[in-house]
Amino acid sequence: MSDLSDVIPRPRRTTFGAGGFFELGPATEVVAGDGTERTARWLRAEVGAATGLPLAPGTGPGDAVTLSLDGALGPEGYRLDVEPTGVRLAGGDPAGLFWGAQTLRQLLGPDAFRRAPLPGRRWRLPAIRIEDAPRFGWRGLMLDVARHFMPKEGVLRYLDLMAAHKLNVLHFHLTDDQGWRIEIKRHPRLTEVGSWRSRTKFGHRASPLWEDKPHGGHYTQDDIREIVAYAAERHITVVPEIDVPGHSQAAIAAYPELGNTDVVDTGALSVWDTWGVSPNVLAPTDHTLRFYEGVFEEVLELFPSEFIHIGGDECPKEQWRRSATAQARIEELALADEDELQSWFIQHFDTWLAERGRRLIGWDEILEGGLAKGAAVSSWRGYAGGIAAARAGHDVVMCPEQQVYLDHRQHAGEDEPVPIGFVRTLEDVYRFEPVPAELTSHEAEHVIGTQANVWTEVMENQQRVDYQTFPRLAAFAEVSWSTLPAPGERDFDAFERRMAAHYRRLDALGVAYRPPGGPLPWQRRPGVLGRPIDGPPPNK
């Protein structure tokens, strides 16, 4: 049985019972009302595996976990009542019911996160009432599988970890200079050529070290369907990212005509093997537009998400300045400069997606040269882009680099592996505030959520991803779910006390998190060059 107060993220309202508990046993049933079947199935699969109990379907009311829907609880809200006579879990919708089941699992104790029961374990839930609902509708994790490929099983595992933290959007970064990870049937060379690079820079791009072996992989369309279905079962939306017009060298290596062929020999390009921002960007031609429309047609068939992420970030303009083709396009469209050419490129796909009932979202560079009509913004270069977008009436997901980029180092110590960026401790992430104080209450309504980003240049395997992501993702999950005081007034000491139980949950899940005392010997990367930035990050 868990401590009554160690739930993460912190619930909105908790009322402790007068004492006693409900104990799950071999006769405990799961009574599933209309619309609750998905959560009932999850309870039997996950909690049933950990406890060894059948949790058989039943009619109740005694010795049962009873599931129901109650629209009065609101979107994603839930109410959990535990009494010695039974458990009642109600959700404002199926998603809310599922988040309530995650809380129920936490209350059973860390061993409820195992895959098989430990001998002699008793499964008691404390007498308690929890009423809860999230602060934000978009509670995201961006997973970069382009720089270092994560096999399908690893992605499914991360969906389970997201669900355990009540996160509901997987931003799936599928394409970049260093790899193309999604099968597109009409353009097979995107994966035949674009999903593999011959070697990989080990450490920061200034590092002299290389891993001299091919790296790559991709997801078939059936893999993607499985990932999307697995996520949906956990009430997680997968938002795909196909990056244009920059971060596209892997695509150009596969199809050289996509690049600026009048200024560079694109046929000589390979998938990029180092980090940073490649100068090789897409040519603003009709052929490129038609090619990517074909890509997005297949993407839309695979991903039912409202939003489709098109990147739009870090697009160097030098090749366009030198390209007669690009300059002719600027003149033809009566554009002012290359920034407006990028905006035209983005606006084309904004319109194209809108005509198909979808919404474009991109990094805050899509503000350059004029904000694409109807587009939403992932504000990564600080708060400024999000503030500008919200004031212009556009929806925003706040994910400022200096606050919630989890590739940034967690400590200033010399043992910290491949130290990148600013020091962002568990406490720093816990004190992150997604809604800028400069916004009015009306403008703040456009902040639809927040997201932590995991860029994998220096994360060569699952263990490294775990180390950089956890435990900070637990703090971020509370920021995105719970209604917390102002950053300086948040009770981090109380959060740390709850983390003592949460570390045991992560242990049971096999997460290779950074221990509070620092990296374990096998987590270090001595001699591998990073790019640490000293001092506090700019808060703008």
Side-chain angles (χ1 to χ4, degrees):
M1 184 168 65
S2 177
D3 182 273
L4 295 184
S5 59
D6 66 15
V7 172
I8 291 177
R10 188 181 76 181
R12 184 168 293 184
R13 187 178 300 107
T14 301
T15 306
F16 302 116
F21 54 85
F22 175 77
E23 182 165 345
L24 276 68
T28 302
E29 298 175 337
V30 173
V31 181
D34 290 343
T36 71
E37 295 82 7
R38 189 181 297 181
T39 293
R41 184 164 57 244
W42 180 86
L43 281 168
R44 292 189 188 97
E46 300 296 331
V47 177
T51 61
L53 300 174
L55 302 178
T59 56
D63 197 3
V65 177
T66 302
L67 308 178
S68 63
L69 298 180
D70 179 355
L73 295 172
E76 297 192 88
Y78 69 89
R79 182 179 60 246
L80 175 64
D81 285 297
V82 180
E83 298 173 346
T85 54
V87 178
R88 299 188 308 279
L89 175 59
D93 53 18
L97 186 77
F98 182 71
W99 306 132
Q102 296 293 341
T103 297
L104 184 154
R105 187 189 196 185
Q106 287 196 22
L107 291 173
L108 284 169
D111 287 340
F113 290 79
R114 297 184 180 275
R115 295 190 179 186
L118 299 180
R121 188 70 167 81
R122 300 179 74 178
W123 302 100
R124 291 178 170 180
L125 289 166
I128 196 170
R129 165 174 275 207
I130 293 177
E131 298 166 281
D132 202 5
R135 179 185 181 190
F136 293 109
W138 182 304
R139 305 180 302 280
L141 174 70
M142 192 227 67
L143 192 59
D144 168 20
V145 296
R147 272 50 176 271
H148 278 102
F149 179 64
M150 179 178 284
K152 180 189 69 177
E153 286 301 317
V155 177
L156 299 180
R157 173 179 178 265
Y158 258 82
L159 288 167
D160 279 328
L161 292 172
M162 290 176 64
H165 292 83
K166 300 186 175 74
L167 299 174
N168 69 343
V169 177
L170 173 65
H171 174 169
F172 208 16
H173 185 79
L174 288 164
T175 72
D176 217 296
D177 298 309
Q178 297 85 2
W180 184 285
R181 305 295 179 215
I182 178 172
E183 177 189 23
I184 302 297
K185 291 187 181 295
R186 74 189 71 185
H187 302 307
R189 286 175 59 84
L190 286 171
T191 48
E192 291 171 0
V193 174
S195 69
W196 293 92
R197 58 179 181 261
S198 61
R199 63 175 186 168
T200 299
K201 177 69 73 171
F202 196 55
H204 181 251
R205 61 180 176 272
S207 167
L209 304 177
W210 294 87
E211 186 177 40
D212 284 306
K213 66 178 183 181
H215 174 86
H218 73 275
Y219 310 103
T220 67
Q221 293 200 356
D222 280 346
D223 290 339
I224 293 292
R225 292 183 182 97
E226 181 182 357
I227 288 167
V228 169
Y230 195 86
E233 191 78 2
R234 287 147 184 80
H235 298 277
I236 296 171
T237 299
V238 184
V239 174
E241 180 180 356
I242 306 296
D243 212 334
V244 296
H247 286 291
S248 298
Q249 184 164 325
I252 296 168
Y255 291 94
E257 67 273 16
L258 295 174
N260 295 284
T261 56
D262 56 348
V263 296
V264 65
D265 180 8
T266 57
L269 293 177
S270 59
V271 178
W272 218 25
D273 58 11
T274 191
W275 315 125
V277 181
S278 169
N280 295 296
V281 302
L282 297 174
T285 64
D286 289 342
H287 173 76
T288 299
L289 297 180
R290 300 293 89 74
F291 183 97
Y292 273 87
E293 286 171 359
V295 169
F296 282 116
E297 282 177 7
E298 295 191 28
V299 167
L300 296 191
E301 290 175 1
L302 295 167
F303 296 92
S305 56
E306 175 186 7
F307 288 98
I308 301 294
H309 208 292
I310 52 75
D313 62 318
E314 297 179 325
C315 179
K317 309 297 193 300
E318 181 57 30
Q319 290 184 0
W320 287 353
R321 293 187 186 99
R322 294 163 48 209
S323 166
T325 300
Q327 292 303 311
R329 179 68 91 178
I330 289 174
E331 184 176 354
E332 171 199 341
L333 297 170
L335 303 176
D337 54 21
E338 290 77 18
D339 281 346
E340 286 198 3
L341 182 61
Q342 178 175 345
S343 182
W344 164 81
F345 199 105
I346 298 301
Q347 287 174 4
H348 174 86
F349 286 102
D350 183 22
T351 301
W352 189 91
L353 288 167
E355 288 171 349
R356 288 153 181 82
R358 307 297 185 94
R359 293 181 64 189
L360 178 148
I361 185 168
W363 302 110
D364 54 55
E365 282 93 333
I366 67 174
L367 294 163
E368 297 171 3
L371 185 63
K373 182 182 178 182
V377 169
S378 301
S379 186
W380 76 273
R381 295 181 297 178
Y383 290 99
I387 291 170
R391 285 177 172 167
H394 294 266
D395 288 341
V396 178
V397 176
M398 294 302 303
C399 48
E401 174 184 19
Q402 63 270 43
Q403 304 294 337
V404 287
Y405 268 36
L406 300 186
D407 51 316
H408 282 217
R409 57 191 173 136
Q410 304 184 64
H411 194 274
E414 292 183 1
D415 286 338
E416 209 60 33
V418 203
I420 298 294
F422 297 103
V423 173
R424 293 285 83 193
T425 65
L426 183 68
E427 181 172 359
D428 290 330
V429 175
Y430 190 67
R431 297 193 188 281
F432 163 60
E433 173 49 50
V435 179
E438 296 93 325
L439 296 179
T440 66
S441 57
H442 175 69
E443 292 165 346
E445 292 176 359
H446 284 292
V447 180
I448 59 174
T450 183
Q451 181 172 286
N453 294 345
V454 181
W455 299 104
T456 62
E457 286 94 336
V458 299
M459 302 178 209
E460 71 276 10
N461 56 36
Q462 178 177 286
Q463 288 73 29
R464 282 286 294 127
V465 175
D466 279 5
Y467 180 92
Q468 292 297 135
T469 304
F470 290 98
R472 293 182 295 180
L473 193 68
F476 174 79
E478 183 144 312
V479 168
S480 66
W481 176 278
S482 306
T483 302
L484 299 175
E489 300 169 7
R490 293 176 189 174
D491 191 346
F492 178 71
D493 289 341
F495 177 76
E496 268 198 317
R497 288 192 292 273
R498 283 183 287 131
M499 280 300 299
H502 202 67
Y503 285 120
R504 301 203 310 275
R505 296 178 191 126
L506 296 178
D507 287 334
L509 288 165
V511 176
Y513 58 85
R514 182 191 189 276
L520 299 171
W522 63 269
Q523 293 174 318
R524 299 168 188 160
R525 294 293 187 274
V528 181
L529 185 67
R531 184 185 59 91
I533 304 174
D534 294 327
N539 190 28
K540 60 182 181 178

Short mmCIF file of all heavy atoms in Angstrom, two decimals, residues 52-88:
data_model
loop_
_atom_site.label_atom_id
_atom_site.label_comp_id
_atom_site.label_asym_id
_atom_site.label_seq_id
_atom_site.Cartn_x
_atom_site.Cartn_y
_atom_site.Cartn_z
N GLY A 52 -0.88 -10.60 -10.11
CA GLY A 52 -1.22 -12.01 -10.29
C GLY A 52 -2.68 -12.30 -10.06
O GLY A 52 -3.09 -13.47 -10.00
N LEU A 53 -3.50 -11.25 -9.99
CA LEU A 53 -4.93 -11.42 -9.74
C LEU A 53 -5.70 -11.40 -11.06
O LEU A 53 -5.35 -10.67 -11.98
CB LEU A 53 -5.45 -10.30 -8.83
CG LEU A 53 -4.78 -10.20 -7.45
CD1 LEU A 53 -5.28 -8.96 -6.71
CD2 LEU A 53 -5.05 -11.47 -6.63
N PRO A 54 -6.78 -12.18 -11.16
CA PRO A 54 -7.52 -12.24 -12.43
C PRO A 54 -8.30 -10.96 -12.74
O PRO A 54 -8.52 -10.64 -13.91
CB PRO A 54 -8.46 -13.43 -12.25
CG PRO A 54 -8.59 -13.60 -10.76
CD PRO A 54 -7.28 -13.17 -10.18
N LEU A 55 -8.76 -10.24 -11.70
CA LEU A 55 -9.57 -9.03 -11.90
C LEU A 55 -10.65 -9.29 -12.95
O LEU A 55 -10.82 -8.55 -13.91
CB LEU A 55 -8.68 -7.84 -12.30
CG LEU A 55 -7.57 -7.48 -11.30
CD1 LEU A 55 -6.73 -6.33 -11.83
CD2 LEU A 55 -8.13 -7.13 -9.93
N ALA A 56 -11.38 -10.34 -12.73
CA ALA A 56 -12.34 -10.84 -13.72
C ALA A 56 -13.51 -9.88 -13.88
O ALA A 56 -13.86 -9.13 -12.97
CB ALA A 56 -12.86 -12.20 -13.27
N PRO A 57 -14.12 -9.89 -15.06
CA PRO A 57 -15.33 -9.09 -15.25
C PRO A 57 -16.41 -9.53 -14.28
O PRO A 57 -16.55 -10.73 -13.98
CB PRO A 57 -15.73 -9.39 -16.70
CG PRO A 57 -14.50 -9.92 -17.35
CD PRO A 57 -13.73 -10.62 -16.28
N GLY A 58 -17.15 -8.56 -13.77
CA GLY A 58 -18.19 -8.91 -12.81
C GLY A 58 -19.32 -7.91 -12.83
O GLY A 58 -19.35 -6.97 -13.63
N THR A 59 -20.24 -8.11 -11.92
CA THR A 59 -21.42 -7.25 -11.81
C THR A 59 -21.47 -6.50 -10.49
O THR A 59 -22.32 -5.62 -10.32
CB THR A 59 -22.70 -8.07 -11.97
OG1 THR A 59 -22.72 -9.12 -10.99
CG2 THR A 59 -22.76 -8.70 -13.36
N GLY A 60 -20.55 -6.84 -9.55
CA GLY A 60 -20.48 -6.13 -8.27
C GLY A 60 -21.72 -6.40 -7.43
O GLY A 60 -22.46 -7.36 -7.66
N PRO A 61 -21.99 -5.53 -6.43
CA PRO A 61 -21.19 -4.37 -6.08
C PRO A 61 -20.05 -4.66 -5.12
O PRO A 61 -19.12 -3.88 -5.00
CB PRO A 61 -22.21 -3.43 -5.43
CG PRO A 61 -23.18 -4.37 -4.77
CD PRO A 61 -23.25 -5.57 -5.65
N GLY A 62 -20.11 -5.80 -4.36
CA GLY A 62 -19.10 -6.06 -3.35
C GLY A 62 -17.80 -6.55 -3.93
O GLY A 62 -17.77 -7.14 -5.02
N ASP A 63 -16.67 -6.31 -3.22
CA ASP A 63 -15.33 -6.76 -3.61
C ASP A 63 -15.07 -6.49 -5.08
O ASP A 63 -14.76 -7.39 -5.86
CB ASP A 63 -15.16 -8.26 -3.31
CG ASP A 63 -13.69 -8.67 -3.29
OD1 ASP A 63 -12.82 -7.78 -3.45
OD2 ASP A 63 -13.40 -9.87 -3.15
N ALA A 64 -15.19 -5.22 -5.46
CA ALA A 64 -15.08 -4.88 -6.87
C ALA A 64 -14.46 -3.50 -7.05
O ALA A 64 -14.56 -2.62 -6.18
CB ALA A 64 -16.45 -4.92 -7.55
N VAL A 65 -13.84 -3.35 -8.20
CA VAL A 65 -13.44 -2.03 -8.70
C VAL A 65 -14.46 -1.68 -9.77
O VAL A 65 -14.52 -2.34 -10.82
CB VAL A 65 -12.02 -2.05 -9.27
CG1 VAL A 65 -11.67 -0.67 -9.85
CG2 VAL A 65 -11.00 -2.47 -8.22
N THR A 66 -15.28 -0.69 -9.50
CA THR A 66 -16.38 -0.33 -10.39
C THR A 66 -16.00 0.90 -11.21
O THR A 66 -15.64 1.94 -10.65
CB THR A 66 -17.65 -0.06 -9.58
OG1 THR A 66 -17.98 -1.23 -8.81
CG2 THR A 66 -18.82 0.29 -10.49
N LEU A 67 -16.11 0.76 -12.53
CA LEU A 67 -15.72 1.82 -13.44
C LEU A 67 -16.96 2.43 -14.09
O LEU A 67 -17.87 1.71 -14.49
CB LEU A 67 -14.80 1.28 -14.55
CG LEU A 67 -13.58 0.47 -14.11
CD1 LEU A 67 -12.83 -0.04 -15.33
CD2 LEU A 67 -12.67 1.30 -13.21
N SER A 68 -16.98 3.76 -14.19
CA SER A 68 -18.13 4.42 -14.81
C SER A 68 -17.67 5.75 -15.40
O SER A 68 -16.56 6.22 -15.14
CB SER A 68 -19.24 4.67 -13.78
OG SER A 68 -18.78 5.55 -12.77
N LEU A 69 -18.54 6.35 -16.20
CA LEU A 69 -18.31 7.67 -16.76
C LEU A 69 -19.30 8.65 -16.17
O LEU A 69 -20.47 8.32 -15.96
CB LEU A 69 -18.43 7.65 -18.28
CG LEU A 69 -17.43 6.78 -19.04
CD1 LEU A 69 -17.69 6.85 -20.54
CD2 LEU A 69 -15.99 7.18 -18.73
N ASP A 70 -18.83 9.87 -15.90
CA ASP A 70 -19.66 10.92 -15.34
C ASP A 70 -19.22 12.23 -15.99
O ASP A 70 -18.20 12.82 -15.62
CB ASP A 70 -19.49 11.00 -13.82
CG ASP A 70 -20.31 12.10 -13.18
OD1 ASP A 70 -20.95 12.87 -13.92
OD2 ASP A 70 -20.31 12.20 -11.92
N GLY A 71 -19.97 12.67 -16.98
CA GLY A 71 -19.60 13.86 -17.75
C GLY A 71 -19.43 15.11 -16.91
O GLY A 71 -18.74 16.04 -17.32
N ALA A 72 -20.03 15.14 -15.72
CA ALA A 72 -19.91 16.31 -14.87
C ALA A 72 -18.48 16.53 -14.38
O ALA A 72 -18.12 17.62 -13.93
CB ALA A 72 -20.85 16.18 -13.68
N LEU A 73 -17.64 15.50 -14.48
CA LEU A 73 -16.26 15.62 -14.01
C LEU A 73 -15.37 16.37 -15.01
O LEU A 73 -14.24 16.73 -14.68
CB LEU A 73 -15.68 14.23 -13.74
CG LEU A 73 -16.35 13.46 -12.61
CD1 LEU A 73 -15.83 12.02 -12.56
CD2 LEU A 73 -16.12 14.16 -11.28
N GLY A 74 -15.84 16.57 -16.22
CA GLY A 74 -15.11 17.36 -17.19
C GLY A 74 -14.09 16.56 -17.97
O GLY A 74 -13.76 15.42 -17.63
N PRO A 75 -13.55 17.16 -19.05
CA PRO A 75 -12.59 16.46 -19.89
C PRO A 75 -11.35 16.01 -19.11
O PRO A 75 -10.72 16.81 -18.42
CB PRO A 75 -12.22 17.51 -20.95
CG PRO A 75 -13.35 18.48 -20.95
CD PRO A 75 -13.86 18.51 -19.55
N GLU A 76 -11.05 14.74 -19.21
CA GLU A 76 -9.88 14.12 -18.58
C GLU A 76 -9.90 14.14 -17.05
O GLU A 76 -8.92 13.80 -16.41
CB GLU A 76 -8.58 14.74 -19.09
CG GLU A 76 -8.33 14.56 -20.57
CD GLU A 76 -6.92 14.92 -20.97
OE1 GLU A 76 -6.04 14.04 -20.91
OE2 GLU A 76 -6.68 16.10 -21.32
N GLY A 77 -11.02 14.55 -16.47
CA GLY A 77 -11.13 14.53 -15.02
C GLY A 77 -11.55 13.17 -14.51
O GLY A 77 -12.07 12.33 -15.25
N TYR A 78 -11.32 12.93 -13.23
CA TYR A 78 -11.74 11.66 -12.64
C TYR A 78 -11.98 11.84 -11.15
O TYR A 78 -11.55 12.82 -10.52
CB TYR A 78 -10.68 10.56 -12.87
CG TYR A 78 -9.39 10.76 -12.10
CD1 TYR A 78 -9.22 10.26 -10.81
CD2 TYR A 78 -8.32 11.46 -12.68
CE1 TYR A 78 -8.04 10.46 -10.11
CE2 TYR A 78 -7.14 11.65 -11.99
CZ TYR A 78 -7.00 11.15 -10.70
OH TYR A 78 -5.83 11.35 -10.00
N ARG A 79 -12.71 10.88 -10.59
CA ARG A 79 -12.93 10.81 -9.14
C ARG A 79 -12.70 9.37 -8.71
O ARG A 79 -13.30 8.44 -9.27
CB ARG A 79 -14.34 11.25 -8.77
CG ARG A 79 -14.63 11.24 -7.26
CD ARG A 79 -16.06 11.71 -6.96
NE ARG A 79 -17.06 10.85 -7.59
CZ ARG A 79 -17.88 11.25 -8.56
NH1 ARG A 79 -17.84 12.49 -9.01
NH2 ARG A 79 -18.76 10.41 -9.08
N LEU A 80 -11.85 9.19 -7.72
CA LEU A 80 -11.54 7.86 -7.20
C LEU A 80 -11.98 7.78 -5.75
O LEU A 80 -11.55 8.59 -4.91
CB LEU A 80 -10.03 7.60 -7.30
CG LEU A 80 -9.51 6.30 -6.68
CD1 LEU A 80 -10.09 5.07 -7.39
CD2 LEU A 80 -7.98 6.26 -6.72
N ASP A 81 -12.87 6.85 -5.46
CA ASP A 81 -13.35 6.61 -4.09
C ASP A 81 -12.93 5.22 -3.66
O ASP A 81 -13.33 4.23 -4.30
CB ASP A 81 -14.88 6.74 -4.02
CG ASP A 81 -15.35 8.17 -4.07
OD1 ASP A 81 -15.02 8.94 -3.14
OD2 ASP A 81 -16.04 8.54 -5.05
N VAL A 82 -12.15 5.15 -2.59
CA VAL A 82 -11.75 3.86 -2.03
C VAL A 82 -12.35 3.75 -0.63
O VAL A 82 -12.12 4.61 0.23
CB VAL A 82 -10.23 3.72 -1.94
CG1 VAL A 82 -9.85 2.36 -1.35
CG2 VAL A 82 -9.59 3.90 -3.32
N GLU A 83 -13.15 2.72 -0.44
CA GLU A 83 -13.73 2.42 0.87
C GLU A 83 -13.46 0.95 1.17
O GLU A 83 -13.17 0.16 0.26
CB GLU A 83 -15.24 2.69 0.85
CG GLU A 83 -15.58 4.15 0.57
CD GLU A 83 -17.08 4.36 0.39
OE1 GLU A 83 -17.80 3.34 0.21
OE2 GLU A 83 -17.51 5.52 0.40
N PRO A 84 -13.51 0.56 2.43
CA PRO A 84 -13.26 -0.85 2.76
C PRO A 84 -14.17 -1.82 2.01
O PRO A 84 -13.81 -2.99 1.82
CB PRO A 84 -13.51 -0.90 4.28
CG PRO A 84 -13.20 0.49 4.75
CD PRO A 84 -13.67 1.39 3.65
N THR A 85 -15.31 -1.33 1.53
CA THR A 85 -16.26 -2.22 0.84
C THR A 85 -16.03 -2.32 -0.66
O THR A 85 -16.63 -3.15 -1.33
CB THR A 85 -17.70 -1.73 1.09
OG1 THR A 85 -17.79 -0.35 0.70
CG2 THR A 85 -18.05 -1.86 2.57
N GLY A 86 -15.19 -1.42 -1.22
CA GLY A 86 -14.98 -1.47 -2.66
C GLY A 86 -14.39 -0.17 -3.19
O GLY A 86 -14.21 0.80 -2.45
N VAL A 87 -14.14 -0.18 -4.47
CA VAL A 87 -13.53 0.97 -5.15
C VAL A 87 -14.46 1.43 -6.26
O VAL A 87 -14.97 0.62 -7.04
CB VAL A 87 -12.16 0.59 -5.75
CG1 VAL A 87 -11.55 1.78 -6.51
CG2 VAL A 87 -11.21 0.10 -4.68
N ARG A 88 -14.66 2.76 -6.34
CA ARG A 88 -15.44 3.34 -7.43
C ARG A 88 -14.55 4.36 -8.14
O ARG A 88 -14.04 5.29 -7.51
CB ARG A 88 -16.72 4.00 -6.92
CG ARG A 88 -17.67 3.03 -6.23
CD ARG A 88 -19.02 3.69 -5.91
NE ARG A 88 -18.87 4.96 -5.20
CZ ARG A 88 -18.66 5.06 -3.88
NH1 ARG A 88 -18.56 3.97 -3.14
NH2 ARG A 88 -18.55 6.25 -3.32
#
